[in-house]
């Protein structure tokens, strides 16, 4: 099969591994910098041009869209979909996952466990908002933050109020969330491919840090998930319409809660910690599903 990896940088670990795994399984793999693609969207034969040449006859794409490039990246993915090319994650699903609020609303509708979360526009009734999530301590999050940046723990209502006012003063959209203290600065990354959890790891935040992001100094180790954790991760990926997803869970007193569903989960941490060939499993998933390629997304939100 002819497979394109949509990635800004061919030297990134995840991109390299996907190319290696694809070639090892006998496929023709091309890494395409989606920011350098341009499109004819109106022609009867929609097309994408890359470095002066039309991209043709691809069987599948693996979108690895950077968080700050969601708008253009999803437009390129959508153009491939219009051309009938199978995508491991479709444009709609990527957009959905990039907005934390939209993601949580969809998961809540499916009855999936979540931290109690509030969202508001105006700051006149901050006390009410804080009350909604059970008061301080609480977590405040920028809607489109990544790598732990824009996630703040407010220990007191007063601190929460100041932070919310400051963010809103900058016109930033924020979520206010129950603080899951019992997670003790750790979360679980569940790597889901085609409705199965194929690898998982626990990330523990650095000493004194409640955020477990590896970019913030967190450490990853192998972990065995409970059946409930597994099924929560699988249901979350399905609810979001993602074929490949990194579902992040916290272990709370009220069971596993989903904090985030990532549509371009990194491969480096999970492959190194688990020694599982995650890239190979993504390629196998494509080989199995690309044939029947059609737009499969039937989620309304
Ligand atoms: P980002 O997209 O920046 O990674 P997350 O929502 O994943 O943002 O939050 C970053 C980290 O902060 C999580 O991995 C987790 O360790 C911690 N965290 C996030 N939300 C909560 C919460 N409600 N309670 C406790 N810890 C949290
Ligand atoms: Mg995260």
């Amino acid at each position: 099969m002819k497979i394109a990896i949509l990635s800004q940088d061919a030297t990134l670990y995840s991109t390299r591994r996907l190319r290696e795994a694809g070639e090892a399984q006998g496929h023709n793999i091309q890494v395409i910098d989606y920011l350098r693609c341009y499109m004819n969207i109106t022609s009867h034969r929609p097309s994408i041009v890359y470095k002066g040449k039309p991209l043709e006859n691809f069987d599948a794409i693996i979108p690895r869209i950077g968080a700050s490039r969601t708008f253009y990246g999803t437009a390129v993915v959508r153009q491939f979909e219009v051309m009938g090319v199978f995508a491991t994650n479709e444009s709609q699903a990527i957009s959905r996952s990039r907005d934390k609020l939209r993601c949580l609303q969809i998961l809540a509708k499916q009855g999936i466990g979540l931290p109690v979360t509030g969202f508001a526009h105006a700051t006149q009734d901050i006390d009410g908002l804080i009350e909604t999530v059970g008061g301080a301590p609480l977590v405040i999050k920028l809607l489109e933050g990544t790598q732990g940046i824009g996630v703040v723990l407010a220990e007191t209502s007063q601190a929460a109020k100041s932070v919310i006012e400051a963010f809103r003063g900058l016109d930033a959209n924020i979520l206010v969330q129950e603080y899951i203290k019992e997670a003790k600065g750790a979360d679980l990354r569940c790597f889901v491919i085609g409705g199965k959890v194929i690898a998982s790891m626990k990330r523990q935040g650095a000493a004194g840090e409640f955020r477990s992001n590896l970019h913030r100094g967190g450490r990853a180790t192998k972990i065995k998930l409970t059946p409930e954790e597994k099924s929560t991760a699988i249901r979350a990926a399905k609810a979001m319409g993602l074929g490949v997803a990194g579902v992040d869970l916290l272990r709370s007193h009220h069971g596993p809660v989903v904090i985030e569903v990532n549509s371009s989960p990194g491969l480096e941490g999970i492959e190194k910690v688990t020694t599982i060939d995650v890239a190979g499993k993504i390629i196998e998933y494509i080989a199995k599903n690309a044939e029947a390629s059609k737009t499969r997304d039937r989620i309304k939100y």
Side-chain angles (χ1 to χ4, degrees), residues 1-24 27-37 48 50-51 55 58-66 73 76-77 80 85-89 94 263-265 267 279-280 282-283 286:
M1 278 199 299
K2 193 169 156 189
I3 302 173
I5 303 170
L6 303 186
S7 166
Q8 268 173 269
D9 185 351
T11 65
L12 292 175
Y13 178 93
S14 301
T15 312
R16 271 194 292 118
R17 283 285 302 123
L18 285 164
R19 181 206 281 272
E20 262 170 37
E23 286 170 353
H27 303 294
N28 174 352
I29 308 290
Q30 282 184 36
V31 177
I32 289 167
D33 177 358
Y34 54 91
L35 292 180
R36 292 195 53 188
C37 291
I48 305 183
Y50 181 59
K51 295 187 177 170
L55 293 175
F58 279 92
D59 298 294
I61 54 169
I62 307 175
R64 303 284 312 173
I65 308 300
V76 174
V77 174
F80 274 105
V85 179
F86 175 83
T88 47
N89 285 329
I94 298 170
S263 56
S264 291
L267 300 187
I282 292 175
I283 303 293
I286 293 172

Side-chain angles (χ1 to χ4, degrees), residues 89 93 96 107 112 190-196 230-247 258 261-262 299:
N89 285 329
R96 235 178 247 135
L107 298 179
I112 292 166
C190 314
F191 208 107
V192 180
I193 302 177
K196 287 201 186 86
K230 267 192 193 167
S231 76
T232 302
I234 292 165
R235 285 169 61 217
K238 180 161 182 236
M240 300 294 292
L242 291 166
V244 174
V247 181
V258 177
V261 183
N262 199 316
I299 295 153

